[in-house]
Amino acid sequence: MKHGKKYVDSAKLIDRSKLYDTDEALDLCVKASTAKFDETVELHVKLGVDSRHADQQVRGAIVLPNGTGKNVRVLAICKGDNEKLAQEAGADFVGAEDMTQKIQSEGWMDFDVLITTPDCMGLVGRLGKILGPRGLMPNPKAGTVTTDIAKAIQEAKAGKIEYRLDKTNIIHCPIGKVSFGKEKLQQNLETLMEAIVKAKPAAAKGQYIRSCAVASTMGPSVKLNPNKFTAVSTNNG
């Protein structure tokens, strides 16, 4: 794969054979960011589980202490008094049949998070084939199907993210923007890693945190030393 000059120059800052501590890794990640926009920093964690088995799934949601730096557009599908609560909590779009119809017939997808109440899951369930592949299907484990819709909306706006395994047993999550700086990114990273460690399935055997790395949108990845997190997960396991 060919890379541009900026990427190549940035990559020279990083020792590919080294496993970095989180503060040094994030410092390098910020320094290696050369794009003209405020790049997102992502954490990638490979786990020692098998996502094909239901008892080895790892999924949850966490509010990052410093948010994600992204303006999150929230769609609330609810009825009655919950509509007013959703509007007051800051939802960008609120509705029920009208909104599900708009998604179904017009292919409208101008939102980042869909939050609904249990009584409206019948409506939302019809959109499974549209929302599922995009990772937008509400789920009680992620807190996006809830009776307290106002709280869920406020958390989503504050920087709540969902983490879950992909088919290769890796979790990919944003932990903020390059402009946050090393300290805020580190707080977000450690909060997310703590949640992932706590979510360790009882059926998981062997080393839980296999490897982890951070990277900005356009920058090279920096490998983290997983031993710190491995020690914590061993204690919890």
Side-chain angles (χ1 to χ4, degrees):
M1 187 184 290
K2 281 193 173 184
H3 290 292
K5 185 178 181 299
K6 286 183 178 179
Y7 181 98
V8 172
D9 288 344
S10 295
K12 289 175 184 175
L13 298 170
I14 298 152
D15 182 348
R16 300 286 293 168
S17 64
K18 183 177 176 180
L19 298 176
Y20 291 91
D21 286 336
T22 51
D23 58 341
E24 191 179 359
L26 290 166
D27 192 37
L28 284 169
C29 192
V30 170
K31 285 177 180 173
S33 170
T34 55
K36 291 180 180 177
F37 63 92
D38 193 6
E39 297 179 51
T40 295
V41 177
E42 282 201 349
L43 172 67
H44 309 275
V45 186
K46 185 169 181 63
L47 299 180
V49 295
D50 189 341
S51 62
R52 292 173 298 178
H53 299 290
D55 63 350
Q56 293 187 47
Q57 286 294 328
V58 179
R59 182 176 188 174
I62 188 82
V63 178
L64 297 177
N66 300 301
T68 61
K70 182 182 179 182
N71 178 32
V72 180
R73 299 166 300 173
V74 177
L75 164 61
I77 293 189
C78 52
K79 294 179 178 179
D81 293 341
N82 281 318
E83 287 196 46
K84 188 181 178 186
L85 290 172
Q87 287 165 346
E88 289 173 351
D92 299 270
F93 311 100
V94 181
E97 288 91 347
D98 54 336
M99 284 297 178
T100 55
Q101 184 62 32
K102 191 173 182 180
I103 293 168
Q104 215 160 15
S105 60
E106 299 174 26
W108 178 78
M109 298 295 292
D110 294 341
F111 56 92
D112 304 299
V113 179
L114 194 162
I115 297 171
T116 189
T117 47
D119 61 317
C120 286
M121 267 309 288
L123 280 173
V124 178
R126 300 172 198 164
L127 305 173
K129 288 183 179 178
I130 301 170
L131 300 174
R134 293 174 172 84
L136 290 168
M137 193 67 184
N139 185 286
K141 285 186 180 177
T144 44
V145 179
T146 176
T147 52
D148 192 346
I149 199 158
K151 183 185 177 186
I153 291 164
Q154 288 161 356
E155 286 183 341
K157 288 285 187 180
K160 186 174 188 176
I161 58 163
E162 184 181 355
Y163 58 87
R164 60 178 169 178
L165 287 175
D166 66 8
K167 289 178 180 177
T168 60
N169 305 315
I170 298 174
I171 288 174
H172 310 271
C173 272
I175 56 168
K177 298 285 187 179
V178 165
S179 60
F180 281 21
K182 179 181 73 174
E183 286 77 15
K184 286 186 176 180
L185 287 169
Q186 187 167 353
Q187 287 171 1
N188 281 356
L189 183 149
E190 289 179 350
T191 299
L192 175 57
M193 284 303 300
E194 189 179 326
I196 292 171
V197 167
K198 282 183 179 175
K200 179 183 178 181
K205 304 297 179 188
Q207 187 174 337
Y208 180 52
I209 309 292
R210 292 284 175 88
S211 63
C212 38
V214 288
S216 61
T217 307
M218 305 296 287
S221 66
V222 187
K223 293 176 185 176
L224 294 170
N225 185 350
N227 290 339
K228 174 185 173 184
F229 309 115
T230 302
V232 176
S233 66
T234 302
N235 293 338
N236 286 0

PDB file of all heavy atoms in Angstrom, residues 136-169:
ATOM      1  N   LEU A 136     -27.065   0.920  13.850  1.00  0.00           N
ATOM      2  CA  LEU A 136     -27.945   1.929  14.449  1.00  0.00           C
ATOM      3  C   LEU A 136     -29.172   1.330  15.142  1.00  0.00           C
ATOM      4  O   LEU A 136     -30.003   2.065  15.667  1.00  0.00           O
ATOM      5  CB  LEU A 136     -28.416   2.913  13.369  1.00  0.00           C
ATOM      6  CG  LEU A 136     -27.344   3.851  12.805  1.00  0.00           C
ATOM      7  CD1 LEU A 136     -27.867   4.564  11.559  1.00  0.00           C
ATOM      8  CD2 LEU A 136     -26.896   4.861  13.849  1.00  0.00           C
ATOM      9  N   MET A 137     -29.264   0.006  15.162  1.00  0.00           N
ATOM     10  CA  MET A 137     -30.427  -0.635  15.784  1.00  0.00           C
ATOM     11  C   MET A 137     -30.351  -0.456  17.302  1.00  0.00           C
ATOM     12  O   MET A 137     -29.353  -0.803  17.932  1.00  0.00           O
ATOM     13  CB  MET A 137     -30.434  -2.122  15.444  1.00  0.00           C
ATOM     14  CG  MET A 137     -31.742  -2.790  15.780  1.00  0.00           C
ATOM     15  SD  MET A 137     -33.101  -2.208  14.736  1.00  0.00           S
ATOM     16  CE  MET A 137     -34.476  -3.083  15.474  1.00  0.00           C
ATOM     17  N   PRO A 138     -31.395   0.100  17.922  1.00  0.00           N
ATOM     18  CA  PRO A 138     -31.387   0.293  19.384  1.00  0.00           C
ATOM     19  C   PRO A 138     -31.282  -1.041  20.125  1.00  0.00           C
ATOM     20  O   PRO A 138     -31.770  -2.058  19.641  1.00  0.00           O
ATOM     21  CB  PRO A 138     -32.734   0.967  19.668  1.00  0.00           C
ATOM     22  CG  PRO A 138     -33.182   1.521  18.362  1.00  0.00           C
ATOM     23  CD  PRO A 138     -32.633   0.610  17.317  1.00  0.00           C
ATOM     24  N   ASN A 139     -30.640  -1.000  21.280  1.00  0.00           N
ATOM     25  CA  ASN A 139     -30.406  -2.214  22.053  1.00  0.00           C
ATOM     26  C   ASN A 139     -30.411  -1.881  23.539  1.00  0.00           C
ATOM     27  O   ASN A 139     -29.774  -0.914  23.950  1.00  0.00           O
ATOM     28  CB  ASN A 139     -29.045  -2.796  21.643  1.00  0.00           C
ATOM     29  CG  ASN A 139     -28.761  -4.123  22.300  1.00  0.00           C
ATOM     30  OD1 ASN A 139     -28.453  -4.192  23.487  1.00  0.00           O
ATOM     31  ND2 ASN A 139     -28.853  -5.185  21.529  1.00  0.00           N
ATOM     32  N   PRO A 140     -31.113  -2.669  24.362  1.00  0.00           N
ATOM     33  CA  PRO A 140     -31.144  -2.373  25.807  1.00  0.00           C
ATOM     34  C   PRO A 140     -29.758  -2.354  26.447  1.00  0.00           C
ATOM     35  O   PRO A 140     -29.490  -1.557  27.347  1.00  0.00           O
ATOM     36  CB  PRO A 140     -31.995  -3.524  26.376  1.00  0.00           C
ATOM     37  CG  PRO A 140     -32.805  -4.007  25.224  1.00  0.00           C
ATOM     38  CD  PRO A 140     -31.956  -3.823  24.006  1.00  0.00           C
ATOM     39  N   LYS A 141     -28.845  -3.236  25.976  1.00  0.00           N
ATOM     40  CA  LYS A 141     -27.489  -3.293  26.549  1.00  0.00           C
ATOM     41  C   LYS A 141     -26.718  -1.994  26.313  1.00  0.00           C
ATOM     42  O   LYS A 141     -25.845  -1.623  27.092  1.00  0.00           O
ATOM     43  CB  LYS A 141     -26.705  -4.465  25.949  1.00  0.00           C
ATOM     44  CG  LYS A 141     -27.118  -5.822  26.494  1.00  0.00           C
ATOM     45  CD  LYS A 141     -26.199  -6.902  25.974  1.00  0.00           C
ATOM     46  CE  LYS A 141     -26.599  -8.271  26.524  1.00  0.00           C
ATOM     47  NZ  LYS A 141     -25.735  -9.344  25.965  1.00  0.00           N
ATOM     48  N   ALA A 142     -27.035  -1.338  25.218  1.00  0.00           N
ATOM     49  CA  ALA A 142     -26.366  -0.072  24.895  1.00  0.00           C
ATOM     50  C   ALA A 142     -27.104   1.117  25.494  1.00  0.00           C
ATOM     51  O   ALA A 142     -26.669   2.264  25.362  1.00  0.00           O
ATOM     52  CB  ALA A 142     -26.259   0.093  23.380  1.00  0.00           C
ATOM     53  N   GLY A 143     -28.239   0.847  26.139  1.00  0.00           N
ATOM     54  CA  GLY A 143     -29.009   1.926  26.758  1.00  0.00           C
ATOM     55  C   GLY A 143     -29.824   2.732  25.777  1.00  0.00           C
ATOM     56  O   GLY A 143     -30.332   3.808  26.109  1.00  0.00           O
ATOM     57  N   THR A 144     -29.989   2.211  24.542  1.00  0.00           N
ATOM     58  CA  THR A 144     -30.749   2.953  23.530  1.00  0.00           C
ATOM     59  C   THR A 144     -32.197   2.488  23.420  1.00  0.00           C
ATOM     60  O   THR A 144     -32.970   3.034  22.638  1.00  0.00           O
ATOM     61  CB  THR A 144     -30.044   2.866  22.152  1.00  0.00           C
ATOM     62  OG1 THR A 144     -29.608   1.523  21.931  1.00  0.00           O
ATOM     63  CG2 THR A 144     -28.841   3.788  22.114  1.00  0.00           C
ATOM     64  N   VAL A 145     -32.556   1.455  24.197  1.00  0.00           N
ATOM     65  CA  VAL A 145     -33.969   1.112  24.414  1.00  0.00           C
ATOM     66  C   VAL A 145     -34.185   1.286  25.904  1.00  0.00           C
ATOM     67  O   VAL A 145     -33.641   0.547  26.718  1.00  0.00           O
ATOM     68  CB  VAL A 145     -34.284  -0.345  24.005  1.00  0.00           C
ATOM     69  CG1 VAL A 145     -35.761  -0.640  24.272  1.00  0.00           C
ATOM     70  CG2 VAL A 145     -33.959  -0.587  22.538  1.00  0.00           C
ATOM     71  N   THR A 146     -34.957   2.294  26.278  1.00  0.00           N
ATOM     72  CA  THR A 146     -35.045   2.658  27.692  1.00  0.00           C
ATOM     73  C   THR A 146     -36.354   3.345  28.024  1.00  0.00           C
ATOM     74  O   THR A 146     -36.970   3.975  27.158  1.00  0.00           O
ATOM     75  CB  THR A 146     -33.868   3.586  28.070  1.00  0.00           C
ATOM     76  OG1 THR A 146     -34.005   4.021  29.415  1.00  0.00           O
ATOM     77  CG2 THR A 146     -33.812   4.807  27.166  1.00  0.00           C
ATOM     78  N   THR A 147     -36.758   3.247  29.283  1.00  0.00           N
ATOM     79  CA  THR A 147     -37.950   3.971  29.746  1.00  0.00           C
ATOM     80  C   THR A 147     -37.574   5.400  30.139  1.00  0.00           C
ATOM     81  O   THR A 147     -38.430   6.270  30.209  1.00  0.00           O
ATOM     82  CB  THR A 147     -38.575   3.258  30.968  1.00  0.00           C
ATOM     83  OG1 THR A 147     -37.549   3.053  31.949  1.00  0.00           O
ATOM     84  CG2 THR A 147     -39.171   1.923  30.564  1.00  0.00           C
ATOM     85  N   ASP A 148     -36.282   5.650  30.391  1.00  0.00           N
ATOM     86  CA  ASP A 148     -35.809   6.996  30.750  1.00  0.00           C
ATOM     87  C   ASP A 148     -35.157   7.636  29.530  1.00  0.00           C
ATOM     88  O   ASP A 148     -33.942   7.708  29.415  1.00  0.00           O
ATOM     89  CB  ASP A 148     -34.814   6.916  31.914  1.00  0.00           C
ATOM     90  CG  ASP A 148     -34.515   8.294  32.520  1.00  0.00           C
ATOM     91  OD1 ASP A 148     -34.867   9.310  31.878  1.00  0.00           O
ATOM     92  OD2 ASP A 148     -33.930   8.341  33.618  1.00  0.00           O
ATOM     93  N   ILE A 149     -35.997   8.073  28.605  1.00  0.00           N
ATOM     94  CA  ILE A 149     -35.489   8.548  27.321  1.00  0.00           C
ATOM     95  C   ILE A 149     -34.698   9.854  27.461  1.00  0.00           C
ATOM     96  O   ILE A 149     -33.728  10.085  26.745  1.00  0.00           O
ATOM     97  CB  ILE A 149     -36.631   8.680  26.284  1.00  0.00           C
ATOM     98  CG1 ILE A 149     -36.042   8.709  24.861  1.00  0.00           C
ATOM     99  CG2 ILE A 149     -37.520   9.898  26.566  1.00  0.00           C
ATOM    100  CD1 ILE A 149     -37.020   8.323  23.779  1.00  0.00           C
ATOM    101  N   ALA A 150     -35.081  10.693  28.406  1.00  0.00           N
ATOM    102  CA  ALA A 150     -34.370  11.965  28.599  1.00  0.00           C
ATOM    103  C   ALA A 150     -32.918  11.726  29.002  1.00  0.00           C
ATOM    104  O   ALA A 150     -31.992  12.333  28.451  1.00  0.00           O
ATOM    105  CB  ALA A 150     -35.076  12.812  29.657  1.00  0.00           C
ATOM    106  N   LYS A 151     -32.703  10.821  29.944  1.00  0.00           N
ATOM    107  CA  LYS A 151     -31.346  10.509  30.396  1.00  0.00           C
ATOM    108  C   LYS A 151     -30.504   9.939  29.255  1.00  0.00           C
ATOM    109  O   LYS A 151     -29.337  10.302  29.076  1.00  0.00           O
ATOM    110  CB  LYS A 151     -31.397   9.508  31.557  1.00  0.00           C
ATOM    111  CG  LYS A 151     -30.021   9.177  32.135  1.00  0.00           C
ATOM    112  CD  LYS A 151     -30.109   8.099  33.200  1.00  0.00           C
ATOM    113  CE  LYS A 151     -28.728   7.726  33.716  1.00  0.00           C
ATOM    114  NZ  LYS A 151     -28.776   6.569  34.654  1.00  0.00           N
ATOM    115  N   ALA A 152     -31.096   9.031  28.466  1.00  0.00           N
ATOM    116  CA  ALA A 152     -30.374   8.402  27.353  1.00  0.00           C
ATOM    117  C   ALA A 152     -29.950   9.433  26.317  1.00  0.00           C
ATOM    118  O   ALA A 152     -28.839   9.373  25.783  1.00  0.00           O
ATOM    119  CB  ALA A 152     -31.251   7.328  26.708  1.00  0.00           C
ATOM    120  N   ILE A 153     -30.824  10.395  26.053  1.00  0.00           N
ATOM    121  CA  ILE A 153     -30.503  11.447  25.078  1.00  0.00           C
ATOM    122  C   ILE A 153     -29.375  12.333  25.599  1.00  0.00           C
ATOM    123  O   ILE A 153     -28.419  12.653  24.879  1.00  0.00           O
ATOM    124  CB  ILE A 153     -31.758  12.296  24.755  1.00  0.00           C
ATOM    125  CG1 ILE A 153     -32.761  11.446  23.974  1.00  0.00           C
ATOM    126  CG2 ILE A 153     -31.391  13.561  23.968  1.00  0.00           C
ATOM    127  CD1 ILE A 153     -34.162  12.019  23.926  1.00  0.00           C
ATOM    128  N   GLN A 154     -29.470  12.720  26.863  1.00  0.00           N
ATOM    129  CA  GLN A 154     -28.425  13.562  27.473  1.00  0.00           C
ATOM    130  C   GLN A 154     -27.072  12.868  27.459  1.00  0.00           C
ATOM    131  O   GLN A 154     -26.047  13.490  27.180  1.00  0.00           O
ATOM    132  CB  GLN A 154     -28.825  13.946  28.896  1.00  0.00           C
ATOM    133  CG  GLN A 154     -29.960  14.964  28.947  1.00  0.00           C
ATOM    134  CD  GLN A 154     -30.671  15.018  30.290  1.00  0.00           C
ATOM    135  OE1 GLN A 154     -30.371  14.238  31.209  1.00  0.00           O
ATOM    136  NE2 GLN A 154     -31.629  15.921  30.429  1.00  0.00           N
ATOM    137  N   GLU A 155     -27.064  11.556  27.732  1.00  0.00           N
ATOM    138  CA  GLU A 155     -25.810  10.798  27.720  1.00  0.00           C
ATOM    139  C   GLU A 155     -25.236  10.697  26.311  1.00  0.00           C
ATOM    140  O   GLU A 155     -24.023  10.819  26.114  1.00  0.00           O
ATOM    141  CB  GLU A 155     -26.031   9.402  28.306  1.00  0.00           C
ATOM    142  CG  GLU A 155     -26.205   9.403  29.811  1.00  0.00           C
ATOM    143  CD  GLU A 155     -26.359   8.012  30.401  1.00  0.00           C
ATOM    144  OE1 GLU A 155     -26.683   7.078  29.649  1.00  0.00           O
ATOM    145  OE2 GLU A 155     -26.169   7.865  31.620  1.00  0.00           O
ATOM    146  N   ALA A 156     -26.106  10.477  25.335  1.00  0.00           N
ATOM    147  CA  ALA A 156     -25.646  10.397  23.939  1.00  0.00           C
ATOM    148  C   ALA A 156     -25.020  11.715  23.505  1.00  0.00           C
ATOM    149  O   ALA A 156     -23.974  11.740  22.851  1.00  0.00           O
ATOM    150  CB  ALA A 156     -26.815  10.037  23.022  1.00  0.00           C
ATOM    151  N   LYS A 157     -25.642  12.804  23.894  1.00  0.00           N
ATOM    152  CA  LYS A 157     -25.124  14.138  23.556  1.00  0.00           C
ATOM    153  C   LYS A 157     -23.804  14.426  24.276  1.00  0.00           C
ATOM    154  O   LYS A 157     -22.956  15.155  23.782  1.00  0.00           O
ATOM    155  CB  LYS A 157     -26.158  15.203  23.933  1.00  0.00           C
ATOM    156  CG  LYS A 157     -27.377  15.247  23.025  1.00  0.00           C
ATOM    157  CD  LYS A 157     -27.028  15.900  21.709  1.00  0.00           C
ATOM    158  CE  LYS A 157     -28.213  16.126  20.822  1.00  0.00           C
ATOM    159  NZ  LYS A 157     -27.848  16.759  19.540  1.00  0.00           N
ATOM    160  N   ALA A 158     -23.652  13.844  25.486  1.00  0.00           N
ATOM    161  CA  ALA A 158     -22.461  14.097  26.303  1.00  0.00           C
ATOM    162  C   ALA A 158     -21.259  13.261  25.861  1.00  0.00           C
ATOM    163  O   ALA A 158     -20.143  13.471  26.330  1.00  0.00           O
ATOM    164  CB  ALA A 158     -22.767  13.813  27.767  1.00  0.00           C
ATOM    165  N   GLY A 159     -21.474  12.305  24.968  1.00  0.00           N
ATOM    166  CA  GLY A 159     -20.353  11.501  24.485  1.00  0.00           C
ATOM    167  C   GLY A 159     -20.418  10.043  24.853  1.00  0.00           C
ATOM    168  O   GLY A 159     -19.393   9.395  25.059  1.00  0.00           O
ATOM    169  N   LYS A 160     -21.620   9.497  24.932  1.00  0.00           N
ATOM    170  CA  LYS A 160     -21.757   8.062  25.211  1.00  0.00           C
ATOM    171  C   LYS A 160     -21.467   7.287  23.934  1.00  0.00           C
ATOM    172  O   LYS A 160     -21.984   7.614  22.870  1.00  0.00           O
ATOM    173  CB  LYS A 160     -23.178   7.747  25.696  1.00  0.00           C
ATOM    174  CG  LYS A 160     -23.362   6.311  26.156  1.00  0.00           C
ATOM    175  CD  LYS A 160     -24.735   6.105  26.757  1.00  0.00           C
ATOM    176  CE  LYS A 160     -24.863   4.735  27.398  1.00  0.00           C
ATOM    177  NZ  LYS A 160     -26.156   4.550  28.068  1.00  0.00           N
ATOM    178  N   ILE A 161     -20.609   6.276  24.060  1.00  0.00           N
ATOM    179  CA  ILE A 161     -20.286   5.458  22.895  1.00  0.00           C
ATOM    180  C   ILE A 161     -20.619   4.002  23.180  1.00  0.00           C
ATOM    181  O   ILE A 161     -20.623   3.567  24.323  1.00  0.00           O
ATOM    182  CB  ILE A 161     -18.802   5.575  22.499  1.00  0.00           C
ATOM    183  CG1 ILE A 161     -17.895   5.155  23.666  1.00  0.00           C
ATOM    184  CG2 ILE A 161     -18.469   6.970  22.000  1.00  0.00           C
ATOM    185  CD1 ILE A 161     -16.473   4.858  23.253  1.00  0.00           C
ATOM    186  N   GLU A 162     -20.896   3.273  22.118  1.00  0.00           N
ATOM    187  CA  GLU A 162     -21.155   1.841  22.238  1.00  0.00           C
ATOM    188  C   GLU A 162     -19.919   1.089  21.767  1.00  0.00           C
ATOM    189  O   GLU A 162     -19.294   1.464  20.770  1.00  0.00           O
ATOM    190  CB  GLU A 162     -22.355   1.449  21.382  1.00  0.00           C
ATOM    191  CG  GLU A 162     -22.742  -0.015  21.536  1.00  0.00           C
ATOM    192  CD  GLU A 162     -23.932  -0.417  20.672  1.00  0.00           C
ATOM    193  OE1 GLU A 162     -24.512   0.472  20.017  1.00  0.00           O
ATOM    194  OE2 GLU A 162     -24.245  -1.622  20.646  1.00  0.00           O
ATOM    195  N   TYR A 163     -19.546   0.057  22.503  1.00  0.00           N
ATOM    196  CA  TYR A 163     -18.434  -0.794  22.066  1.00  0.00           C
ATOM    197  C   TYR A 163     -18.961  -2.207  21.869  1.00  0.00           C
ATOM    198  O   TYR A 163     -19.794  -2.684  22.624  1.00  0.00           O
ATOM    199  CB  TYR A 163     -17.282  -0.779  23.093  1.00  0.00           C
ATOM    200  CG  TYR A 163     -17.660  -1.225  24.481  1.00  0.00           C
ATOM    201  CD1 TYR A 163     -17.627  -2.573  24.843  1.00  0.00           C
ATOM    202  CD2 TYR A 163     -18.088  -0.300  25.445  1.00  0.00           C
ATOM    203  CE1 TYR A 163     -18.000  -2.987  26.126  1.00  0.00           C
ATOM    204  CE2 TYR A 163     -18.457  -0.713  26.727  1.00  0.00           C
ATOM    205  CZ  TYR A 163     -18.403  -2.059  27.050  1.00  0.00           C
ATOM    206  OH  TYR A 163     -18.778  -2.466  28.307  1.00  0.00           O
ATOM    207  N   ARG A 164     -18.498  -2.857  20.831  1.00  0.00           N
ATOM    208  CA  ARG A 164     -18.884  -4.248  20.588  1.00  0.00           C
ATOM    209  C   ARG A 164     -17.901  -4.902  19.622  1.00  0.00           C
ATOM    210  O   ARG A 164     -17.267  -4.238  18.812  1.00  0.00           O
ATOM    211  CB  ARG A 164     -20.303  -4.346  20.057  1.00  0.00           C
ATOM    212  CG  ARG A 164     -20.560  -3.631  18.766  1.00  0.00           C
ATOM    213  CD  ARG A 164     -21.992  -3.852  18.335  1.00  0.00           C
ATOM    214  NE  ARG A 164     -22.359  -2.988  17.234  1.00  0.00           N
ATOM    215  CZ  ARG A 164     -23.541  -3.009  16.638  1.00  0.00           C
ATOM    216  NH1 ARG A 164     -24.454  -3.852  17.046  1.00  0.00           N
ATOM    217  NH2 ARG A 164     -23.814  -2.200  15.654  1.00  0.00           N
ATOM    218  N   LEU A 165     -17.834  -6.220  19.716  1.00  0.00           N
ATOM    219  CA  LEU A 165     -16.920  -6.988  18.873  1.00  0.00           C
ATOM    220  C   LEU A 165     -17.367  -6.984  17.414  1.00  0.00           C
ATOM    221  O   LEU A 165     -18.564  -7.039  17.131  1.00  0.00           O
ATOM    222  CB  LEU A 165     -16.891  -8.445  19.331  1.00  0.00           C
ATOM    223  CG  LEU A 165     -16.178  -8.807  20.624  1.00  0.00           C
ATOM    224  CD1 LEU A 165     -16.398 -10.290  20.904  1.00  0.00           C
ATOM    225  CD2 LEU A 165     -14.692  -8.500  20.530  1.00  0.00           C
ATOM    226  N   ASP A 166     -16.381  -6.958  16.509  1.00  0.00           N
ATOM    227  CA  ASP A 166     -16.718  -7.228  15.114  1.00  0.00           C
ATOM    228  C   ASP A 166     -16.461  -8.725  14.861  1.00  0.00           C
ATOM    229  O   ASP A 166     -16.154  -9.475  15.789  1.00  0.00           O
ATOM    230  CB  ASP A 166     -15.932  -6.323  14.164  1.00  0.00           C
ATOM    231  CG  ASP A 166     -14.424  -6.598  14.166  1.00  0.00           C
ATOM    232  OD1 ASP A 166     -13.987  -7.594  14.790  1.00  0.00           O
ATOM    233  OD2 ASP A 166     -13.686  -5.820  13.537  1.00  0.00           O
ATOM    234  N   LYS A 167     -16.570  -9.152  13.625  1.00  0.00           N
ATOM    235  CA  LYS A 167     -16.435 -10.580  13.315  1.00  0.00           C
ATOM    236  C   LYS A 167     -15.016 -11.106  13.532  1.00  0.00           C
ATOM    237  O   LYS A 167     -14.812 -12.323  13.612  1.00  0.00           O
ATOM    238  CB  LYS A 167     -16.875 -10.835  11.871  1.00  0.00           C
ATOM    239  CG  LYS A 167     -18.377 -10.689  11.673  1.00  0.00           C
ATOM    240  CD  LYS A 167     -18.774 -10.907  10.234  1.00  0.00           C
ATOM    241  CE  LYS A 167     -20.287 -10.747  10.043  1.00  0.00           C
ATOM    242  NZ  LYS A 167     -20.689 -10.888   8.627  1.00  0.00           N
ATOM    243  N   THR A 168     -14.048 -10.199  13.611  1.00  0.00           N
ATOM    244  CA  THR A 168     -12.656 -10.630  13.815  1.00  0.00           C
ATOM    245  C   THR A 168     -12.238 -10.476  15.286  1.00  0.00           C
ATOM    246  O   THR A 168     -11.056 -10.475  15.601  1.00  0.00           O
ATOM    247  CB  THR A 168     -11.694  -9.830  12.909  1.00  0.00           C
ATOM    248  OG1 THR A 168     -11.803  -8.432  13.218  1.00  0.00           O
ATOM    249  CG2 THR A 168     -12.024 -10.033  11.447  1.00  0.00           C
ATOM    250  N   ASN A 169     -13.227 -10.318  16.168  1.00  0.00           N
ATOM    251  CA  ASN A 169     -13.002 -10.211  17.626  1.00  0.00           C
ATOM    252  C   ASN A 169     -12.226  -8.950  18.014  1.00  0.00           C
ATOM    253  O   ASN A 169     -11.434  -8.960  18.956  1.00  0.00           O
ATOM    254  CB  ASN A 169     -12.278 -11.463  18.158  1.00  0.00           C
ATOM    255  CG  ASN A 169     -13.018 -12.735  17.801  1.00  0.00           C
ATOM    256  OD1 ASN A 169     -14.237 -12.807  17.948  1.00  0.00           O
ATOM    257  ND2 ASN A 169     -12.304 -13.717  17.286  1.00  0.00           N
TER     258      ASN A 169
END
